[in-house]
Amino acid sequence: DPTDPTDPTARTARTTYDVVVVGAGFSGLYMLHRLRGLGLSAVVLETGEDVGGTWYWNRYPGARCDVESMHYSYSFDPELEQEWEWTEKYPSQPEIHAYLRHVAERHDLRRDIRFRTTVTGARFDEAAGRWRVSTEGETGGELEARFLVTAVGCLSTPKQPEVPGLETFRGEWYHTGAWPEEHVDFSGKRVGVIGTGSSGIQLVPEVARDAASVTVFQRTPNFSVPTRNGPIDPDLVAHVRENYPQIRQEARRSGFGVPLPPPERSALEVSAEERERYLHEQWSKGSVTAVLTSYNDLLVDADANHVAAEFVRDRIREVVDDPEVAEVLCPRDFPFGTKRPCMDTGYYETFNEDHVRLVDLRRTPLESVTPAGVRTSDEEHELDALVLATGFDAMTGALLGMDIRGRDGQRLADKCRDGPTSYLGLAMAGFPNLFTITGPGSPSVLSNMAVAIEQHVEWIAAALEHLESTGTALIEADPASEAEWTDHVRESAAGTLHMEANSWYLGANVPGKPRVFMVYVGGVGVYQDVCDEVAAAGYKGFELS
Ligand code: FAD
């Protein structure tokens, strides 16, 4: 009986659902839970072999969340909030993965998740008013559903470096975003690391602990703030647990999804001494968000930003012994905070060790990977292992990686050829009954994503509840509302310093990708109000039929 949930063969034989969800990370897990609560039949399809998404794939040494444990967690289960024991201020990948596995068990989610199953495409069948979803993998074949929800992640399509020759390399190589499950032993090896974004900066000190030598290939230095991570403070845990509802509310009302008060002063309205004192105070908190929110104009005023950037560069110069190496590590060609700012544990200190070497690819460009290692314009670096910390095709990689076709067979990839368009980052004109969790045009990666994800899941669940209770079959964004929101997203970014950086927020890390700012910079609180107003006005800007 394909409708019997206790029959394991029936589970994979079933092909018709109310909702198909793609992805079993933070988003997909909670979406499934909410759909069940609405009494809808749902299945989650996931390429990986386990739940966790980001925290399943990114098992590289040092992988860690830059949002504090107590805030990077679900708020929907108040008992879980009270029971779950985080061990560190900032949670490591194994700990977050364990947490998400626990959530899956606790809410019995696994029985509706099909692992090792990749969605290759989905076609909206206009006559039937249904999505036909093509899959490959263990439970391959076609599924059909009234609604399709993508929970495919903003940072889930790893990007390879743009250098030839990787296939000729005789040693072992790994991408941080698809790290093997078994322990990788670097002891006694000469390891090269390409990429100095968030992942590289987390990984380098860990690899340096075991490796015979580490060569870090840097194209663009990044700003990084030390985490001051350690065992979680039991007083903090008690305080947060006691005040969770209020603290969650503060996070939801904030700009970046963490409960920090909004800055009120400009960096330029205080004296240089006062600024130095206050930046040190914020720096000592071990939080990049604390530094970014020291003043209210760091992301909009070039002079204000320069002050903060210079402050961070001074901290790098303070730590790194060799002044020449320190200067190479100092970012200069983009404002602080306009490429994803990093957080580290001992990154800059690592360059004081004799067996760690920094190669400046701006001076000596990377030419190729060779059988023996990596060749730059002036040298061949012999290596036993290579780590690619080269990031992701962000925001749209996984979404457009599927061949999604809406009305009249229009391909989503074609619609997004000049950059993604979206109404609220949640829906797209011409693609009825499709919802995109943390889609382009929502705050997503510019916030604590746990907050952004819960808000989206809850909004989608409420929309589905509305459709069910009013007997509405279809919901679709109006082209005009979509165009207006897309313009608003781009104009909001245009008023900031974000446009000055060649960031992955702008697609600049992927050759040929349109240069369009894909994230809504208005802040999660402001954004939530917009979404709530749309819903309260009977889903204004959507066509319901
Ligand atoms: P993901 O966790 O990316 O899950 C998406 C899932 O969809 C994946 O498992 C993928 O396999 C699956 N999938 C994709 N396409 C298909 C398909 N076609 N068919 C089947 N399955 C598919 N966020 C923060 O807020 N703070 C942080 O400090 C932070 N640090 C991060 C560090 C790293 C290294 C990375 C990569 C991300 C980090 N993030 C951070 C962002 C993180 O991705 C989100 O916080 C969150 O985990 C996203 O959850 P998700 O479920 O939306 O997406």
Side-chain angles (χ1 to χ4, degrees), residues 23 25-27 46-47 53-55 57 66 72 119 152-153 340 449:
F26 230 106
S27 301
E46 166 60 55
T47 300
T54 284
W55 308 106
W57 295 106
D66 292 348
Y72 187 77
V119 172
V152 292
R340 188 186 190 276
M449 288 203 73

Side-chain angles (χ1 to χ4, degrees), residues 96-346:
I96 307 171
H97 192 209
Y99 171 77
L100 292 172
R101 289 170 61 102
H102 172 77
V103 170
E105 308 305 331
R106 188 181 176 96
H107 293 285
D108 189 22
L109 299 175
R110 283 180 191 274
R111 68 184 157 85
D112 290 320
I113 306 175
R114 298 193 198 175
F115 296 106
R116 295 173 288 274
T117 302
T118 294
V119 172
T120 52
R123 182 171 58 85
F124 186 68
D125 177 341
E126 290 185 57
R130 287 177 165 270
W131 281 98
R132 306 211 180 276
V133 181
S134 324
T135 69
E136 257 174 20
E138 198 161 272
T139 59
E142 193 177 273
L143 304 181
E144 63 166 85
R146 291 159 56 210
F147 299 95
L148 177 63
V149 179
T150 62
V152 292
C154 298
L155 299 163
S156 52
T157 302
K159 187 192 156 283
Q160 308 293 342
E162 300 120 47
V163 281
L166 188 59
E167 68 290 347
T168 68
F169 183 55
R170 276 197 305 264
E172 34 183 317
W173 68 268
Y174 309 93
H175 192 292
T176 51
W179 201 265
E181 208 147 343
E182 33 324 330
H183 173 69
V184 176
D185 186 7
F186 288 122
S187 47
K189 291 185 179 151
R190 298 164 300 173
V191 183
V193 179
I194 300 182
T196 51
S198 292
S199 300
I201 281 178
Q202 290 183 335
L203 167 129
V204 163
E206 294 292 321
V207 172
R209 199 164 292 162
D210 299 330
S213 70
V214 180
T215 309
V216 179
F217 298 93
Q218 173 192 281
R219 184 170 62 185
T220 311
N222 257 303
F223 292 98
S224 183
V225 175
T227 57
R228 294 165 205 272
N229 192 34
I232 200 162
D233 173 3
D235 292 338
L236 173 83
V237 173
H239 168 78
V240 174
R241 279 192 182 149
E242 248 167 64
N243 298 284
Y244 244 139
Q246 182 198 327
I247 289 171
R248 299 289 199 190
Q249 182 61 11
E250 270 172 51
R252 286 184 167 220
R253 301 304 317 150
S254 70
F256 295 109
V258 286
L260 287 177
E264 276 160 13
R265 289 180 309 174
S266 154
L268 304 175
E269 75 184 46
V270 294
S271 69
E273 297 75 46
E274 162 58 14
R275 225 162 34 209
E276 188 74 4
R277 188 201 62 73
Y278 189 58
L279 284 169
H280 270 289
E281 186 183 320
Q282 295 295 87
W283 183 262
S284 71
K285 291 179 180 164
S287 152
V288 72
T289 319
V291 180
L292 266 176
T293 57
S294 299
Y295 296 102
N296 62 16
D297 49 359
L298 297 186
L299 289 171
V300 290
D301 185 295
D303 293 335
N305 189 284
H306 179 77
V307 170
E310 197 50 26
F311 176 86
V312 181
R313 286 191 283 264
D314 280 344
R315 304 287 75 71
I316 298 171
R317 294 176 183 124
E318 228 165 45
V319 170
V320 179
D321 295 340
D322 181 332
E324 272 176 41
V325 174
E327 288 314 309
V328 176
L329 287 165
C330 281
R332 268 185 209 84
D333 56 359
F334 60 94
F336 171 54
T338 58
K339 288 184 99 167
R340 188 186 190 276
C342 308
M343 291 190 57
D344 70 279
T345 302

